[in-house]
Amino acid sequence: MPEPTRSAPSPAEPPAGHPAGFPGGPALFRLDPRVAHLNHGSFGAVPLPVQETQAALRAEAHADPDAFFLSVPDRLAAARARIAAHLAADPDGLAFVSNATEGANLALDAVPLADGDEILVTDHGYGTVVAAAARRAPVTTVALDPHLPDEDAVRETVLAALTPRTRVAVLDHISSPTARIIASPRLLADLRERGVTTVVDGAHAPGMLAHPLAGGADFWFGNLHKWGYAPSGSAVLAVAPQHRPRVRALVPSWEDHHGFPRSVENRATADYTGWLAAPDGLDLIERLDAAKVRAHNSALAAHGAALLADIPGLTPLPHTDGLAMRALLLPPGVAETPDGARALREELAARLRVRVLIWPRQGGGGIRVCGQIYNRPGEYARLAAALPEYLGRAVSRA
Ligand SMILES: Cc1ncc(COP(=O)(O)O)c(C=O)c1O
């Protein structure tokens, strides 16, 4: 009997157990194909149709600057309304800002504080956001063991760290290094009940979560330029009604008398094209089928993490299903300092052409992989196959 012919799986049919690629995903971006971009969570990436919208807006501004700039306030209001519809936010309580860091500073500037009041942050918090809190008042930093099993354990740890002087809690919605949900709706409700004002860093939420504003924080900010496919420098700040009158632009403008949100959006003769193009990013996710995009991205991140978890010495951290980022701890001696983490990250980028986040931690740093519609399973396999050798070198360097 003749041997049955066996054909190699085509690229459209991944081997069993591998998540399939998102059809047409890579073609929507113009990323360097030699590089495995497994770090969407840091800077995002702008799809070509959104780049084209922004380029057309720039051309319009250059063709007739007077007409363009005079039309900006009305067009921003329209763009804001489109973003609000995507996020299920109140358009009157939402303002465009340049990034999460600016949102944090605006929010913290608006919270009423007296001498002796304290702000609670966690050790998973993003550096610039924690710095914004520390500039405003003394901070108490809650250490969250990265192995805490679930949102309830996180919630109990945060609540146990409150002091009678805690007035504000600044919490990640999804933490950057560890990809954990910290500001769960239940934790926010418990803090509200205790009279603590909540400021939520939702840098990773728009485009990654189906309901990014579900928790009902006093202040919430989120980047559109990470998972929302928007141009760089696009973010939003959402403010609960009772706090809106206290929100002041960091730099006063001619629009100050309009109050929030218009007052904080005006930056005189700045480049507004990113904000005006930003709704196209969220529209694109809807057109691609947002649920499918989310399912694909989280399956791919899970696949990448599973491959890395097979490497001796790597420990997967607890995760929340559905997120497009996963984190693992590296072995002792690797990335224990910021310099060590940077050296490993840069070596992986330069020699292996793989972009990932490596974060520092005493006792062994961490690695975070992301999933996005332009990624393919083979990119994670390339990282997993080569990483042991790089870890060995990192330990011998330390
Ligand atoms: C959780 C978190 N917060 C804040 C930021 C800061 O964002 P931006 O640089 O846009 O201000 C980041 C950036 O990666 C982040 O991951």
Side-chain angles (χ1 to χ4, degrees):
M1 228 168 81
E3 278 271 311
T5 47
R6 282 204 273 157
S7 58
S10 79
E13 291 169 46
H18 287 226
F22 197 94
L28 278 169
F29 296 80
R30 192 166 292 146
L31 291 161
D32 184 339
R34 294 165 303 174
V35 178
H37 301 271
L38 308 183
N39 190 27
H40 188 88
S42 282
F43 304 109
V46 187
L48 291 171
V50 181
Q51 291 184 33
E52 280 156 17
T53 300
Q54 188 179 20
L57 287 161
R58 285 216 169 107
E60 190 191 329
H62 294 317
D64 188 345
D66 281 49
F68 180 79
F69 280 99
L70 292 172
S71 75
V72 159
D74 285 347
R75 291 166 87 168
L76 282 182
R80 200 195 296 134
R82 282 171 67 195
I83 301 283
H86 278 293
L87 303 181
D90 172 3
D92 296 332
L94 195 74
F96 279 110
V97 293
S98 296
N99 49 43
T101 305
E102 186 190 358
N105 281 276
L106 283 163
L108 286 155
D109 184 57
V111 292
L113 288 171
D115 276 354
D117 288 348
E118 289 175 3
I119 301 179
L120 178 142
V121 299
T122 81
D123 63 353
H124 291 221
Y126 192 79
T128 58
V129 173
V130 171
R135 188 181 257 208
R136 189 73 174 85
V139 296
T140 311
T141 306
V142 191
L144 295 175
D145 182 334
H147 300 286
L148 286 175
D150 53 27
E151 285 174 21
D152 257 356
V154 170
R155 183 178 63 84
E156 280 160 19
T157 312
V158 170
L159 292 177
L162 296 175
T163 76
R165 293 180 299 283
T166 310
R167 291 284 163 273
V168 180
V170 180
L171 300 169
D172 289 296
H173 200 162
I174 301 165
S175 62
S176 170
T178 45
R180 296 291 303 264
I181 297 269
I182 294 178
S184 59
R186 209 169 147 205
L187 174 54
L188 294 179
D190 285 344
L191 289 166
R192 209 167 21 249
E193 211 179 282
R194 289 160 172 78
V196 175
T197 301
T198 51
V199 176
V200 173
D201 176 353
H204 292 275
M208 196 195 305
L209 296 182
H211 306 290
L213 280 158
D218 290 294
F219 299 87
W220 176 99
F221 46 86
N223 279 337
L224 303 172
H225 56 227
K226 288 189 189 289
W227 299 90
Y229 292 171
S232 313
S234 313
V236 281
L237 169 67
V239 181
Q242 68 275 25
H243 299 293
R244 291 175 196 165
R246 285 185 56 90
V247 181
R248 290 183 318 167
L250 298 175
V251 179
S253 78
W254 288 112
E255 304 287 317
D256 244 23
H257 61 286
H258 288 290
F260 185 85
R262 201 158 147 175
S263 59
V264 307
E265 289 175 342
N266 191 279
R267 284 108 205 268
T269 319
D271 183 354
Y272 297 93
T273 59
W275 293 353
L276 295 177
D280 280 23
L282 292 173
D283 284 356
L284 175 60
I285 297 177
E286 288 302 329
R287 272 207 308 282
L288 294 171
D289 187 338
K292 262 196 201 147
V293 169
R294 281 194 297 274
H296 168 270
N297 292 350
S298 83
L300 210 45
H303 172 70
L307 293 181
L308 296 178
D310 282 341
I311 298 175
L314 262 69
T315 314
L317 291 177
H319 66 272
T320 305
D321 284 337
L323 297 191
M325 306 195 290
R326 294 281 187 107
L328 298 92
L329 289 185
L330 296 167
V334 178
E336 296 220 8
T337 63
D339 279 351
R342 199 174 310 119
L344 178 56
R345 187 195 71 201
E346 285 172 10
E347 205 183 358
L348 289 170
R351 297 167 68 125
L352 192 59
R353 292 184 193 257
V354 172
R355 293 271 177 201
V356 280
L357 179 74
I358 303 287
W359 44 276
R361 175 178 167 272
Q362 267 184 6
I367 183 169
R368 185 191 73 188
V369 288
C370 301
Q372 188 47 269
I373 61 167
Y374 51 73
N375 291 128
R376 294 293 182 252
E379 297 175 309
Y380 305 86
R382 181 160 121 219
L383 171 65
L387 191 59
E389 181 196 331
Y390 287 85
L391 297 180
R393 274 210 291 274
V395 172
S396 59
R397 247 195 331 252

